[in-house]
Amino acid sequence: MVYDAGAGSSPAAEPAAPAGSPLRVILTRGFARQVLAGRWFTVFASLLIMAASGATYIFAAYSGALKSALGYDQRALNTVSFAKDLGANLGVLPGLLNEVTPPWAVLAAGAAMNLAGYLMVYLAVSGRTARPPLWLLCLYFFAGANSQAFANTGALVTCVKNFPESRGVVIGILKGFVGLSGAVYTQLYLAFYGGEDPESLILLIAWLPAAVSVVFVHTVRYMPYPRRRGGKETSTNPFFCFLYLSIALACFLLVMIVVQRQVPFSRGAYGVAAAPLLILLLMPLCVVIKQEYKIHRERQLDDALRAAGPPPTITVVDAAASNHVQMSTDTKKAEQQPVAPPPTSRSTPSSSPSSCSGRLGGCVRTMFRPPARGEDHSILQALVSVDMLVLFVSAICGVGGTLTAIDNMGQIGQSLGYPSRSTNTFVSLISIWNYAGRVTAGYASEAVLSRHRVPRPLLLTLVLLLACAGHLLIAFGVPRSLYAASVVVGFCFGAQWPLVFAVISELFGLKRYSTLHNFGGMASPVGAYLLNVRVAGRLYDAEAARQRGGGACLGVECFRRSFLIIAAATALGAAVSLVLVWRTWGFYRGDIYARFRDGEGAAAGDSLPVGQPRRPGAEGEEAAAAVSGGKG
């Protein structure tokens, strides 16, 4: 028996970890390029884009000025609000556009629509143009608000596809920043314009989202990521850092709301207060730099391992084994003889249940033959699914009711005798608790799903039941209860969106998620039209006509019947969502993310990010997997 060690090798010889000061590495131009080209910077850019895309949630802050400047009644104002909600959630165009273009094209188109739409609204309200007819103003609002659907598609869908294993927390944190945007806009409006003219708020929401999208338009892109050592593709630790920073931002905004109600601020003081706000908005960049530095160190270690050559080897030669050399050689020759392959059935594109054959007939044939839950559905397969119908109906009831309360909060406060300055307080409270609902639903649902296999639709049911309590507080007009109602309504409105969007991605796959995500958002304008325009607006105008022959309505009766109906509709939505819980209970009791950890969820065309080396030994593992698969 002979021992043969690899030449020049020693068991104790290992490559040393690359040295270098972190600050010296971070300040280099190459590291800056790595940060800008990394997928974590995509998350940072998406956070800022989403934080600037929630202008539709502060409609109550300037709806009074809109109503008085253009001479609208409540039903006309609610019609304008419906056009806004329709534009914000009608994402068919950006969804389809995102299927065939990169995300930067979607974001650029959204920026142009935002600037054009809201700028025309500002010119009309400020009297710089002739008073537009109602249909034209609705068109302006539709175009401006539709930019939110473009931002959601370009930024949120991209991040979900980049982090498929963490989609719950990704949706939660991104939607959380959208929820905070109302309070952020309020503080920036006070800092830039002093809070004296509501028309200036419209001007702010015209140029700010467009500017943010243009700045980051080329940094948001799809970046599939290879698995690292240990088999864990993504880490949720950076997302928890983003969460902590967003909580600090929300707490700062809440403190500013309380302080500004108690202490009069000058315009300069508002400007000083906005400085910490901007710093907190940019703090997630530190998390990005830390994560990219960790990736940089791992790349250096991989390069050092490759430069050191293969590890030392010891070959054991047994003399008795030489007797079998000839036999094994003959066996290998016999195995190399050609063998006729077994007959296989020819597959056609239409035989795949999750894809269409490229023709309308093939799409229709496979429409009612969907794949299993969790697999990639086509658009038609998902739209005709019973699961999608049940989810859509429950979202109509829940989102429509809470959105009606948010859009009418200014008029609700006026009818109940609250001072006019309380409107900004209500808007800010709704914004902050909207954020709290989004991040809580995203992170909590991900935690209970991964640890206890609790279905997300069950959490949606609980949120809808909580929303009923908020609607009843408004309906009965309990003294000083509108503050509590704004907290409950804001939280429930925010909590519904991460749950709805995550359920869509889990039940119907990610292949057509950009379109299906926007279809789920259509529940908002449908619910708003039914409950806001047809119910709340009509009953408010009827009560105002009964009291004074038109004009403003005063008293608890203005919205009592409306929100009793809305509470009943929300309870119906909770009952409908229980049907989805029953239908998907078995699906959620399994490991729904297993295929992403096993490598089955990666697209065939996925490639490594620029500058990312393949993990050492990956080629050998892939070859071994191919051989074992061929033998099976």
Side-chain angles (χ1 to χ4, degrees):
M1 188 173 293
V2 181
Y3 294 89
D4 182 21
S9 62
S10 172
E14 293 183 0
S21 170
L23 185 60
R24 293 178 60 184
V25 173
I26 291 174
L27 295 179
T28 60
R29 186 177 301 177
F31 184 79
R33 285 197 298 266
Q34 175 189 330
V35 171
L36 294 177
R39 65 171 186 161
W40 289 106
F41 193 83
T42 296
V43 178
F44 169 71
S46 299
L47 289 176
L48 294 186
I49 290 173
M50 300 298 278
S53 67
T56 55
Y57 301 133
I58 58 173
F59 180 76
Y62 60 86
S63 60
L66 184 69
K67 187 176 181 180
S68 60
L70 301 178
Y72 289 160
D73 59 10
Q74 188 64 27
R75 189 175 182 183
L77 186 65
N78 286 356
T79 303
V80 173
S81 176
F82 164 72
K84 166 187 67 69
D85 296 331
L86 179 64
N89 295 279
L90 185 61
V92 176
L93 177 59
L96 295 176
L97 183 63
N98 198 54
E99 299 282 356
V100 295
T101 63
W104 68 261
V106 179
L107 293 174
M113 294 183 67
N114 184 91
L115 182 62
Y118 280 116
L119 185 60
M120 294 304 299
V121 173
Y122 167 75
L123 295 176
V125 174
S126 62
R128 289 175 170 80
T129 60
R131 174 185 171 183
L134 179 60
W135 68 267
L136 185 57
L137 188 71
C138 290
L139 183 62
Y140 292 158
F141 267 101
F142 176 87
N146 197 228
S147 64
Q148 182 173 323
F150 281 80
N152 281 337
T153 304
L156 186 143
V157 173
T158 301
C159 288
V160 169
K161 290 188 175 182
N162 287 349
F163 299 89
E165 285 185 59
S166 306
R167 66 189 72 180
V169 296
V170 170
I171 296 175
I173 191 64
L174 290 176
K175 284 294 185 180
F177 270 79
V178 176
L180 281 178
S181 62
V184 171
Y185 271 113
T186 300
Q187 294 301 317
L188 294 180
Y189 162 61
L190 294 173
F192 293 162
Y193 302 105
E196 300 173 355
D197 186 5
E199 300 169 359
S200 301
L201 180 58
I202 304 176
L203 179 61
L204 178 66
I205 63 179
W207 66 264
L208 183 59
V212 173
S213 294
V214 169
V215 168
F216 295 104
V217 70
H218 285 296
T219 62
V220 178
R221 57 193 180 277
Y222 298 119
M223 301 186 67
Y225 195 72
R227 285 164 174 75
R228 299 188 193 175
R229 292 182 297 271
K232 181 66 175 175
E233 180 185 0
T234 60
S235 172
T236 56
N237 290 334
F239 289 108
F240 278 99
C241 293
F242 293 142
L243 173 63
Y244 302 145
L245 291 174
S246 66
I247 291 174
L249 176 60
C251 292
F252 170 78
L253 292 171
L254 186 59
V255 170
M256 292 305 301
I257 292 171
V258 175
V259 172
Q260 289 168 1
R261 273 188 58 83
Q262 304 297 327
V263 180
F265 273 51
S266 64
R267 186 166 182 176
Y270 284 129
V272 172
L277 171 65
L278 296 177
I279 293 174
L280 288 171
L281 284 172
L282 296 177
M283 281 296 290
L285 183 59
C286 298
V287 181
V288 173
I289 293 174
K290 177 182 177 182
Q291 196 67 17
E292 290 295 338
Y293 179 74
K294 184 186 299 184
I295 296 174
H296 174 78
R297 297 283 291 180
E298 290 182 358
R299 292 177 183 175
Q300 286 186 322
L301 182 59
D302 290 342
D303 292 341
L305 289 172
R306 276 197 297 268
T313 60
I314 298 178
T315 305
V316 180
V317 180
D318 193 345
S322 60
N323 297 331
H324 304 284
V325 171
Q326 186 64 35
M327 182 183 297
S328 61
T329 303
D330 296 338
T331 304
K332 289 181 180 179
K333 288 181 179 180
E335 289 180 353
Q336 293 175 359
Q337 295 298 322
V339 179
T344 57
S345 59
R346 180 174 298 179
S347 61
T348 61
S350 61
S351 63
S352 174
S354 61
S355 63
C356 294
S357 64
R359 297 172 299 176
L360 181 60
C363 292
V364 173
R365 283 195 300 270
T366 61
M367 182 169 59
F368 296 103
R369 291 184 295 165
R373 290 189 181 97
E375 300 296 330
D376 290 328
H377 288 56
S378 70
I379 296 175
L380 290 178
Q381 286 170 344
L383 295 186
V384 301
S385 170
V386 176
D387 292 341
M388 179 66 84
L389 177 62
V390 172
L391 181 63
F392 193 74
V393 171
S394 62
I396 286 175
C397 298
V399 176
T402 50
L403 189 59
T404 299
I406 291 173
D407 286 344
N408 289 280
M409 193 57 68
Q411 284 69 40
I412 294 171
Q414 181 183 18
S415 65
L416 295 178
Y418 287 83
S420 58
R421 64 180 181 178
S422 296
T423 300
N424 285 336
T425 303
F426 294 143
V427 171
S428 297
L429 284 175
I430 289 174
S431 176
I432 291 173
W433 287 96
N434 183 5
Y435 151 80
R438 291 168 189 252
V439 297
T440 301
Y443 282 76
S445 66
E446 193 75 19
V448 297
L449 174 63
S450 60
R451 297 176 186 175
H452 307 292
R453 300 290 190 263
V454 176
R456 285 192 214 267
L458 181 59
L459 299 181
L460 179 61
T461 304
L462 299 178
V463 169
L464 293 178
L465 292 176
L466 179 60
C468 292
H471 298 322
L472 292 177
L473 285 175
I474 298 175
F476 293 115
V478 180
R480 314 301 296 175
S481 66
L482 198 55
Y483 294 100
S486 63
V487 169
V488 173
V489 168
F491 180 89
C492 293
F493 176 77
Q496 292 174 73
W497 287 122
L499 297 174
V500 170
F501 292 147
V503 169
I504 290 175
S505 71
E506 289 161 352
L507 297 183
F508 307 110
L510 293 176
K511 185 176 182 180
R512 302 300 178 192
Y513 183 59
S514 60
T515 301
L516 298 179
H517 160 273
N518 285 294
F519 176 79
M522 281 295 298
S524 179
V526 173
Y529 177 77
L530 296 175
L531 299 177
N532 195 4
V533 178
R534 306 299 298 177
V535 175
R538 175 174 291 184
L539 294 179
Y540 178 95
D541 287 337
E543 180 63 23
R546 188 187 67 81
Q547 287 185 3
R548 304 183 179 185
C553 179
L554 299 177
V556 70
E557 294 294 334
C558 299
F559 287 97
R560 169 171 288 176
R561 286 190 296 167
S562 302
F563 278 90
L564 287 176
I565 296 173
I566 290 172
T570 305
L572 175 63
V576 171
S577 66
L578 282 177
V579 177
L580 187 61
V581 175
W582 171 72
R583 289 179 56 85
T584 61
W585 184 268
F587 169 72
Y588 278 104
R589 297 302 291 179
D591 190 355
I592 63 175
Y593 293 156
R595 68 193 187 103
F596 292 100
R597 286 189 293 271
D598 296 340
E600 298 173 2
D606 286 352
S607 58
L608 300 179
V610 177
Q612 175 65 44
R614 185 178 293 273
R615 179 172 53 86
E619 294 86 348
E621 294 175 6
E622 292 170 0
V627 171
S628 62
K631 291 181 180 179

